[in-house]
Amino acid sequence: MRIITGSARGVRLKAPPGRGTRPTADRTREALFSMLGMRVVDARVLDLFAGTGALGLEALSRGAASAVLIDRATHDVLLENACRTKLTERTEIRRGDVFDQVAGLVREGRTFDLIFADPPYAQGDGRRVLTVVDEGALFAADGLVILEQGADESVIERMGRFLLLRERRYGAARICFYAWQEV
């Protein structure tokens, strides 16, 4: 696994030991960032269930202004990967329960243009992510939530103010793009 393009192009990322983390494949990330295009430049990024940090670090490599990477179990791997890519100055790494950390970001008044979420498949965390982001004030009005889920999981068409804009399947993964639809 490596950073695909940008300032850290070609840098190999460390993966945590064991099978507890399922990094987004290079091919899937490449397709995802092709769809995002210039929307990444100067974006404030939040990477939930960050694992290796590949999504947030790829966004930084492509010109995002900053990224907050959150994971309960991979803090040391995230720190090492931020160092490997030389993107530590624009990276904030938080350790702990994703939903507790999101609540903290809401209390701090933080907002994000792109929110990546890659929760464990088939545990219902995708719905929970959309709910807490919808209820909190951390989502920029013209932002996007990009949710990765198992290809066999039901697609969430609508959740609160979020409306599915696009979804694509890549092997065992499905990538879903959501934006707010004003009611």
Side-chain angles (χ1 to χ4, degrees), residues 97-175:
D97 178 78
V98 165
F99 300 104
D100 290 343
Q101 293 294 327
V102 165
L105 291 168
V106 170
R107 283 191 301 276
E108 294 168 19
R110 306 277 295 272
T111 59
F112 299 92
D113 305 299
L114 296 174
I115 299 176
F116 297 107
D118 187 6
Y121 289 174
Q123 293 186 13
D125 286 333
R127 287 185 177 282
R128 193 169 171 204
V129 164
L130 291 174
T131 299
V132 299
V133 171
D134 189 38
E135 292 171 351
L138 57 84
F139 189 64
D142 60 346
L144 286 176
V145 172
I146 299 98
L147 174 66
E148 181 174 338
Q149 62 183 41
D152 57 345
E153 293 180 62
S154 298
V155 174
I156 304 164
E157 298 281 340
R158 182 175 206 76
M159 175 68 63
R161 290 179 286 178
F162 282 113
L163 180 66
L164 177 69
L165 298 177
R166 171 191 300 185
E167 60 92 15
R168 297 286 187 270
R169 184 177 170 170
Y170 299 95
R174 181 184 315 274
I175 306 291

Side-chain angles (χ1 to χ4, degrees), residues 32-59:
L32 165 65
F33 280 95
S34 289
M35 287 184 266
L36 288 172
M38 292 303 292
R39 193 171 193 144
V40 174
V41 176
D42 295 326
R44 293 159 298 163
V45 174
L46 177 60
D47 188 353
L48 304 174
F49 304 94
T52 63
L55 292 171
L57 294 170
E58 183 75 42

Side-chain angles (χ1 to χ4, degrees), residues 1-78:
M1 179 178 26
R2 62 185 171 78
I3 298 295
I4 298 163
T5 197
S7 65
R9 179 183 182 167
V11 173
R12 295 218 174 269
L13 300 177
K14 179 180 180 182
R19 296 178 165 241
T21 302
R22 173 198 28 76
T24 303
D26 288 359
R27 180 182 72 122
T28 304
R29 258 185 306 114
E30 188 168 10
L32 165 65
F33 280 95
S34 289
M35 287 184 266
L36 288 172
M38 292 303 292
R39 193 171 193 144
V40 174
V41 176
D42 295 326
R44 293 159 298 163
V45 174
L46 177 60
D47 188 353
L48 304 174
F49 304 94
T52 63
L55 292 171
L57 294 170
E58 183 75 42
L60 288 171
S61 180
R62 292 172 182 250
S66 63
V68 176
L69 312 177
I70 302 173
D71 201 287
R72 175 189 304 265
T74 63
H75 180 270
D76 294 341
V77 169
L78 290 170

